[in-house]
Amino acid sequence: MIAFDNVAYSYGGGELLSEISLRLTPGSFHFLTGPSGSGKSTFLKLCYAELLPTAGSVTIFDREVRSLGRDEVARMRRRVGVVHQDCQFLDHLPLAANVTLPLAVTGRETNAQDLADLMAWVGLGQLADALPPALSGGERQRAAVARAIITSPDVLLADEPTGNLDWEMSLRLLKLLVELNRMGTTILVATHDLNLIRNAKQQVAARVLRISNRRIQLAGADL
Amino acid sequence: MTLRELLSEIATPDRQADRVVPPSGHTAWLTGFTAGTMAFLAVFALALSLAAGRLADRWGEALERTATIRISAPEEQMELQTRAVLDLLATTPGVASARALTDAEEHALLEPWFGSDLPLDTLPIPRLIELQEEGEGYDAQGLRQRLAAEAPGAVLDDHLRWRQPLAIAASRLRLLGGVSILLILASTAAMITLAAHASLAANAKVIGVLRLVGARDIYIARAFVRRFTLRALTGAAVGTGAGLLAVALLPSADAAGGFLTGLGFQGAGWLLPLLLPPVAAVTAFLATRAAAFRKLKELT
Ligand SMILES: Nc1ncnc2c1ncn2[C@@H]1O[C@H](COP(=O)(O)OP(=O)(O)OP(=O)(O)O)[C@@H](O)[C@H]1O
Ligand SMILES: [Mg+2]
């Protein structure tokens, strides 16, 4: 689904990530951990072609990212749900319109009931008409998750989706991710939250990738 | 880009696509204002160009490169001098042909001035010789001297010649009017391009979000293009209307008399300015579209 082959990335200074070779197989569930500033967000951005590798090759849905035209990148992104670490919205549109944006940009209709169910599940049922700037950090994160999964993407990439959530809400969100994974969605979640990872491991065969020393390794079962 | 694409772009509002870009207060106003002002100016440039064209045509016609030689001589010398002048003209470079007007033709010329009951036969009417120029024309000074020597009663009347520079100036003016319209269009395109760039840059975050959720460039560009096209169309329509009104309110040139036909439009000429709003819309469409695609590549 997404494959890294000897990838390196640098923002211009020294290399932030080096010699990364790994494969996210369809239906897999991965966590990505590592110290702050180690490059988790950078790695996720490489996964949906917001950044292009400075060396090596990244393949998404069997296409080398550098060979993709702008329209092809757009089409690829429709199959990838992304939850940014700094959830960005269209601040002038109400939350409901923001959540359904991925459907709107491809001219698809939104099923009102599906939307209501989704908003209720992430605990935003009452906030459909609120404007994004008026939301709390946690509410924004949940809205970003809702927006990322409304298209039933093949892959979900989430950057600290529970960073601002209380434990109960985190578990609720995790359940949603596990459910999606059971239905076939490939999932990659960057997080610091070891409790969340432990809890997930009880529900699915989640694996943990750890960034250390610019490399990414599969963590052992010692978590 | 086809015309159909353009029309569908303007005619089928995609509410959702329009809303993804936040409303942009003052740039919207400025674009409309610019298009309006430019259309207003273009109306005058057009009026000037058309009026100058009419003048050039009229003066050009009047010129026809002819001149007359008037011979006033005593009865008995008339025939002799006429012959002498015709012979002289036959050998003058720059004169294509020359012929004496018949009595009947002369009478016809004088009738409007003196009426038909005047006994012209009894009056000493000068003989008129009409000549046609060719090539560079004749040397008027030289011809006058030779006439004075050969036929003392002959006077060269080339009064129409002074109009030649005016006719040239008029067609130059028509050209300038046309060039002005092109320049006005070009500056409209330039200003709309700048406004579109500014608008796109101001919405960089919005564009980032749209790209993230899989919007193609064409979808993002459309919201901007539609907006600018409609603004240019509306602004230019208002500007054209105001310009036409101003031209219509110009004092009638006929009252002032003379050969000036005035700066107004005539007949079907009034329809020509109606092309300005659509032309402004097409210009805005192309300019914004080009700007949007270029800027989108820059931004993400
Ligand atoms: N656009 C950029 N230009 C230059 N350097 C950058 C840029 N984005 C990130 N960096 C640097 O790259 C490093 C990794 O950033 P990244 O956001 O990937 O870390 P992270 O692992 O996600 O951290 P966190 O856990 O705090 O979110 C940081 O040192 C950061 O300063
Ligand atoms: Mg990060």
Side-chain angles (χ1 to χ4, degrees):
Chain A
M1 203 132 258
I2 298 180
F4 281 61
D5 190 14
N6 206 16
V7 169
Y9 189 82
S10 118
Y11 279 107
E15 276 184 2
L16 180 63
L17 298 169
S18 306
E19 295 173 25
I20 308 233
S21 295
L22 59 84
R23 200 161 289 274
L24 300 183
T25 50
S28 61
F29 196 131
H30 286 92
F31 286 101
L32 177 65
T33 62
S36 176
S38 59
K40 299 184 294 297
S41 298
T42 305
F43 178 78
L44 287 183
K45 286 174 184 169
L46 288 166
C47 289
Y48 61 92
E50 177 160 333
L51 298 175
L52 297 177
T54 42
S57 72
V58 175
T59 311
I60 306 175
F61 303 130
D62 300 323
R63 293 288 305 274
E64 213 285 316
V65 287
R66 263 186 285 255
S67 73
L68 296 174
R70 290 180 62 82
D71 281 354
E72 288 171 318
V73 168
R75 243 170 255 126
M76 173 273 286
R77 296 225 177 120
R78 292 171 194 176
R79 299 174 61 188
V80 180
V82 179
V83 181
H84 255 233
Q85 189 167 11
D86 53 341
C87 319
Q88 301 244 321
F89 297 97
L90 302 185
D91 290 342
H92 63 290
L93 291 185
L95 208 52
N98 267 287
V99 168
T100 56
L101 194 61
L103 296 172
V105 300
T106 53
R108 278 175 289 176
E109 293 292 321
T110 311
N111 181 312
Q113 192 54 51
D114 287 354
L115 176 64
D117 288 350
L118 179 58
M119 294 290 274
W121 182 263
V122 294
L124 297 174
Q126 309 301 312
L127 292 172
D129 296 324
L131 291 179
L135 299 182
S136 76
E139 286 162 346
R140 290 169 68 85
Q141 267 179 337
R142 285 177 274 152
V145 171
R147 181 179 65 188
I149 65 178
I150 196 161
T151 52
S152 314
D154 295 333
V155 181
L156 179 67
L157 306 170
D159 201 348
E160 311 272 8
T162 59
N164 289 313
L165 301 184
D166 56 62
W167 179 239
E168 196 185 332
M169 197 65 221
S170 298
L171 285 183
R172 202 173 157 82
L173 208 67
L174 179 64
K175 198 158 167 359
L176 183 64
L177 298 184
V178 168
E179 212 50 54
L180 283 170
N181 182 246
R182 290 209 173 110
M183 282 158 30
T185 310
T186 308
I187 291 179
L188 173 61
V189 180
T191 184
H192 290 293
D193 192 342
L194 299 185
N195 284 329
L196 188 75
I197 299 178
R198 276 191 210 103
N199 200 291
K201 283 192 154 190
Q202 293 164 8
Q203 304 180 54
V204 287
R207 314 185 71 179
V208 179
L209 301 165
R210 178 176 293 144
I211 305 184
S212 68
N213 247 335
R214 298 182 287 140
R215 312 286 198 281
I216 295 186
Q217 279 126 10
L218 259 183
D222 56 317
L223 235 145
Chain B
M1 203 277 307
T2 63
L3 185 66
R4 235 186 52 195
E5 205 184 316
L6 165 70
L7 289 179
S8 80
E9 206 75 46
I10 301 172
T12 53
D14 180 347
R15 295 294 310 143
Q16 176 66 34
D18 282 351
R19 282 195 311 149
V20 297
V21 179
S24 43
H26 71 286
T27 59
W29 198 85
L30 283 176
T31 310
F33 176 74
T34 303
T37 312
M38 289 304 184
F40 188 77
L41 294 177
V43 169
F44 286 104
L46 198 59
L48 175 74
S49 185
L50 290 177
R54 284 197 299 272
L55 277 187
D57 288 348
R58 182 175 305 182
W59 286 343
E61 257 167 48
L63 265 170
E64 292 255 316
R65 298 162 55 77
T66 60
T68 42
I69 291 173
R70 202 168 63 240
I71 305 170
S72 318
E75 187 80 45
E76 64 280 8
Q77 283 205 23
M78 195 58 114
E79 197 61 28
L80 203 69
Q81 290 208 12
T82 304
R83 170 91 343 121
V85 169
L86 285 174
D87 287 348
L88 188 153
L89 288 175
T91 61
T92 304
V95 173
S97 63
R99 70 176 187 94
L101 296 190
T102 63
D103 286 344
E105 281 173 321
E106 293 207 348
H107 287 180
L109 279 178
L110 292 172
E111 213 177 270
W113 306 94
F114 298 109
S116 54
D117 48 352
L118 197 73
L120 289 170
D121 299 334
T122 63
L123 292 173
I125 307 171
R127 172 65 60 196
L128 292 179
I129 292 175
E130 188 183 81
L131 66 86
Q132 296 278 333
E133 285 179 49
E134 66 177 4
E136 291 287 281
Y138 54 86
D139 165 22
Q141 203 54 40
L143 183 57
R144 282 211 175 83
Q145 282 169 8
R146 289 175 66 196
L147 281 174
E150 307 259 338
V155 175
L156 172 66
D157 181 0
D158 60 351
H159 64 278
L160 289 177
R161 275 193 149 193
W162 65 271
R163 282 188 177 174
Q164 194 158 15
L166 284 186
I168 293 173
S171 36
R172 220 33 84 64
L173 212 52
R174 161 166 51 184
L175 191 69
L176 281 180
V179 170
S180 303
I181 292 172
L182 288 184
L183 287 179
I184 288 171
L185 265 183
S187 3
T188 309
M191 276 189 255
I192 290 176
T193 301
L194 286 177
H197 268 285
S199 180
L200 284 150
N203 286 297
K205 187 190 151 198
V206 168
I207 291 169
V209 171
L210 289 171
R211 286 290 299 177
L212 181 72
V213 299
R216 292 166 64 207
D217 282 354
I218 178 88
Y219 178 88
I220 303 169
R222 192 175 292 147
F224 290 91
V225 169
R226 248 183 66 78
R227 221 170 259 200
F228 279 91
T229 305
L230 283 176
R231 275 176 212 156
L233 184 67
T234 319
V238 172
T240 304
L244 281 174
L245 194 68
V247 169
L249 291 180
L250 282 178
S252 161
D254 292 342
F259 49 128
L260 271 173
T261 50
L263 198 59
F265 293 101
Q266 283 179 6
W270 284 101
L271 296 179
L272 219 45
L274 299 186
L275 288 176
L276 288 173
V279 168
V282 172
T283 307
F285 176 82
L286 295 176
T288 319
R289 204 178 142 98
F293 280 110
R294 202 168 340 114
K295 194 76 184 173
L296 281 171
K297 281 202 192 83
E298 241 172 66
L299 284 174
T300 46

